[in-house]
Amino acid sequence: MVVQPNAAGIARAVALLQAGEVIGLPTETVYGLAADAANPEAVARIFALKGRPSNHPVIVHVADATAAGRWAARVPAAALQLMQRFWPGPLTLILPRAPGVPLAVTGGQESVGLRCPAHPVAQAVLRAFAQAGGSGGLAAPSANRFGRVSPTLPGHVEHEFGRAVPLVLDGGACAVGIESTIVDLSRGAPVLLRPGGVLVADLEDCLGVPVLAPGQAPVAGAVPRVSGALAAHYAPHTPLRLLALAGLPAALAEAARQAARVAVWAPALVPPDARATVWQVAPADAQAYARGLYATLRELDAAGCDQLLIVRPPEGPAWLGVHDRLARAAVGSGPAVAAQ
Ligand code: TXA
Ligand code: MG
């Protein structure tokens, strides 16, 4: 049930969390499926709901940098710098885990992912949960079934899980729209595990050192598993093809020859083409594009077409997270995707 985030709604959410239940929690990136990070059974419930393999770690959400100390064995200077500059906000830091952190949270690894969300409803829940004597940490992956499109509206969560999730707090549309940037600081040099709302150039500006790509990482210890790093993820059921603007007329002609129904997401540069069943205009700005990305994928997917044609957005640092999600959505799309 979608519930307003007033005092009564927050109190109900906290009571459910204390009882080991899972709730739908708005954040500025995407909606999360949240449970008490200190309660392994509650965390196991998240995995069961999502259909996610239990060896995949989940992010622990905290109210502030001080609360992060409970979950990390060490908070290196670089982590403190990043927390000061980007928290609360769309940045997750991978740090060595504190001894008491359940292995269900870390996927059996020696590191833990920590994020302090900026959304006022997430903040209100985290603070009320800590004040009520809870652990102060909420394990929360994105509130979608494993491998599928992430939710950016409360209705997306309800549509995906129905009554299996007893309460979804209504935080409106997510302002960022794609998941947090993930930086691994558990192995020395900072390594980018997932591009997202915080840009690499801003991280490097803050740290004064380069942020490495996963392939450049010093191989000390096991490489962390990141489910968002699977080639197929964030995927619609309808086959999705990414193409250059120049390839669109030929793709439309081919679809018309096969009498296939197509949904198109293209920039305003091209006028809508009557051969497309659905035509949506893509924003020219990277932030606006990211904000609408998942809701648009869901809408286009629901249109009952045979194919989604998405014109590749521009290149450039601000578009990194969008390209990452689109590429994985294309690989994983189609009706019979094997969850990887
Ligand atoms: O924006 C976000 O980060 C959203 C909202 C709800 O906060 N959450 C999110 O969670 O995207 P999820 O579980 O869908 O993705 C979390 C990613 C996964 O790819 C997971 O593998 C990685 O974070 N992760 C979590 N803990 C990790 C760890 N200890 N080491 C490496 N990767 C980790
Ligand atoms: Mg996810």
Side-chain angles (χ1 to χ4, degrees):
M1 190 172 43
V2 177
V3 166
Q4 285 311 303
N6 52 24
I10 302 287
R12 268 180 70 192
V14 169
L16 286 166
L17 292 169
Q18 286 186 305
E21 296 286 342
V22 174
I23 65 159
L25 181 75
T27 84
E28 72 278 24
T29 57
V30 300
Y31 276 71
L33 271 188
D36 181 357
N39 179 343
E41 280 125 55
V43 175
R45 209 164 266 162
I46 301 177
F47 283 86
L49 277 167
K50 273 186 72 94
R52 184 175 180 168
S54 60
N55 64 352
H56 283 250
V58 283
I59 296 170
V60 177
H61 297 68
V62 291
D64 51 37
T66 313
R70 168 176 178 160
W71 305 91
R74 275 180 297 114
V75 180
L80 279 176
Q81 280 171 283
L82 292 176
M83 287 173 181
Q84 265 162 21
R85 169 111 165 238
F86 299 106
W87 278 13
L91 177 67
T92 296
L93 301 175
I94 308 296
L95 300 177
R97 76 175 175 98
V101 182
L103 291 174
V105 166
T106 67
Q109 304 181 97
E110 286 308 311
S111 59
V112 63
L114 294 172
R115 169 158 125 76
C116 172
H119 195 295
V121 175
Q123 278 285 331
V125 172
L126 283 163
R127 288 184 192 284
F129 180 56
Q131 270 159 24
S135 69
L138 292 179
S142 51
N144 52 282
R145 293 198 192 273
F146 185 60
R148 290 298 173 186
V149 179
S150 303
T152 53
L153 284 167
H156 294 162
V157 185
E158 203 172 42
H159 180 252
E160 194 125 348
F161 294 103
R163 290 181 180 193
V165 175
L167 178 144
V168 180
L169 286 170
D170 186 352
C174 299
V176 176
I178 58 171
E179 297 81 353
S180 59
T181 301
I182 304 182
V183 177
D184 184 6
L185 290 171
S186 70
R187 296 176 292 158
V191 178
L192 180 75
L193 297 186
R194 179 174 74 184
V198 173
L199 303 186
V200 174
D202 294 330
L203 296 170
E204 293 181 335
D205 177 62
C206 173
L207 292 173
V209 295
V211 173
L212 306 177
Q216 303 171 302
V219 196
V223 175
R225 279 183 299 271
V226 190
S227 67
L230 293 171
H233 217 86
Y234 316 109
H237 296 273
T238 317
L240 187 173
R241 198 176 136 203
L242 285 174
L243 72 183
L245 187 54
L248 190 55
L252 284 166
E254 176 60 21
R257 259 196 305 280
Q258 296 181 0
R261 290 160 52 90
V262 291
V264 175
W265 200 21
L269 296 171
V270 266
D273 188 303
R275 288 171 293 186
T277 306
V278 179
W279 188 282
Q280 287 233 27
V281 175
D285 162 74
Q287 283 182 9
Y289 194 105
R291 194 177 307 128
L293 173 60
Y294 290 137
T296 303
L297 283 180
R298 280 171 184 265
E299 258 173 59
L300 298 179
D301 203 15
C305 290
D306 301 303
Q307 195 180 34
L308 310 184
L309 297 177
I310 296 187
V311 173
R312 259 193 209 96
E315 296 295 333
W319 291 91
L320 204 57
V322 160
H323 280 288
D324 172 76
R325 304 311 188 277
L326 281 175
R328 294 181 209 285
V331 171
S333 66
V337 181
Q340 294 184 45

